[in-house]
């Protein structure tokens, strides 16, 4: 997927969010750090272009991971930035890729530590399959069937110099 395809998919996700939710008054977008944060900002800007002003935040799920002890002895925390009340809101969690569903589960747990939203919906740029938990995305930019040995790499500024999605062996 090139930059144009990514932009098109993220705009389509914004349209689908508006279509699925009766009102955009209580919507907020929270990107899962790192790349989900950047994608969440784009989705929020797209929603604003469509007439829906939404609050935007970012979420660090490090302490909510079920594999924390295997990741690092001293995990690096990036800090969540949610400067608004999520109680009673519809939270749109945004991430780059959904794979096993474990990141989404950790993100849901992290959101619930901030309050009790009315709904939590999940938007992802890429769904690559291979779920281990009964979790699915509400909004998907592109379904890309992969093998377990492949890696889906989402490139986005400021982390890379280009915007694209690649499948690596």
């Amino acid at each position: 997927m090139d930059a144009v395809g990514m932009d098109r998919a993220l705009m389509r996700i914004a349209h689908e969010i508006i279509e699925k939710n009766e009102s955009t008054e209580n919507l907020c977008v929270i990107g899962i750090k790192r790349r989900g944060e950047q994608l969440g900002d784009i989705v929020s800007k797209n929603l604003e272009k469509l007439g829906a002003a939404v609050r935007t935040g970012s979420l660090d799920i490090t302490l909510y991971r079920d594999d924390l002890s295997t990741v690092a002895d001293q995990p690096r925390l990036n800090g969540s930035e949610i400067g608004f009340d999520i109680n009673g809101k519809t939270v749109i969690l945004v991430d780059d890729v959904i794979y096993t569903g474990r990141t989404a589960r950790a993100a849901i747990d992290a959101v619930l530590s901030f309050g009790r939203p009315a709904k939590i919906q999940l938007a992802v740029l890429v769904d690559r399959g291979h779920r281990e938990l009964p979790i699915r995305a509400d909004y998907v930019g592109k379904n890309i069937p992969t093998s377990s040995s492949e890696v889906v790499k989402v490139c986005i500024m400021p982390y890379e110099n280009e915007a694209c999605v690649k499948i690596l062996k």
Side-chain angles (χ1 to χ4, degrees), residues 6 10 19 29 34 44 54 66 72 78 89 91 108 123 129 134 154 157 164 168:
M6 287 176 65
L10 293 169
E19 288 173 14
V29 173
R34 295 192 347 152
S44 290
V54 297
D66 62 5
N78 297 306
K89 303 278 192 293
V91 173
I108 291 167
V154 174
M157 302 286 212
C164 66
L168 308 173

Side-chain angles (χ1 to χ4, degrees), residues 16-163:
E16 290 175 5
I17 289 169
I18 289 174
E19 288 173 14
K20 185 171 184 170
N21 293 282
E22 293 178 19
S23 169
T24 58
E25 187 176 321
N26 285 316
L27 284 181
C28 58
V29 173
I30 299 176
I32 301 170
K33 290 196 172 187
R34 295 192 347 152
R35 284 169 181 77
E37 179 180 19
Q38 308 303 320
L39 296 172
D41 288 343
I42 295 168
V43 169
S44 290
K45 288 177 181 148
N46 288 344
L47 287 167
E48 287 177 16
K49 289 177 188 174
L50 299 172
V54 297
R55 304 289 303 262
T56 305
S58 63
L59 190 65
D60 180 359
I61 63 161
T62 303
L63 296 177
Y64 297 89
R65 294 175 56 112
D66 62 5
D67 62 350
L68 185 59
S69 62
T70 63
V71 173
D73 290 333
Q74 294 293 322
R76 186 169 159 240
L77 301 178
N78 297 306
S80 296
E81 298 164 18
I82 301 175
F84 50 89
D85 183 13
I86 67 164
N87 288 302
K89 303 278 192 293
T90 296
V91 173
I92 311 292
L93 283 173
V94 180
D95 203 6
D96 55 351
V97 178
I98 186 167
Y99 180 35
T100 62
R102 293 181 183 278
T103 297
R105 191 235 15 109
I108 291 167
D109 287 348
V111 164
L112 293 174
S113 74
F114 284 90
R116 191 170 195 277
K119 294 179 189 174
I120 298 175
Q121 298 173 351
L122 178 61
V124 297
L125 181 61
V126 175
D127 184 341
R128 63 170 291 188
H130 304 282
R131 218 71 80 242
E132 294 174 2
L133 299 174
I135 293 176
R136 66 167 181 77
D138 298 279
Y139 312 103
V140 177
K142 187 165 185 76
N143 287 291
I144 301 177
T146 62
S147 73
S148 298
S149 64
E150 294 174 315
V151 174
V152 176
K153 171 81 172 159
V154 174
C155 302
I156 191 165
M157 302 286 212
Y159 307 114
E160 292 84 20
N161 293 328
E162 62 179 332

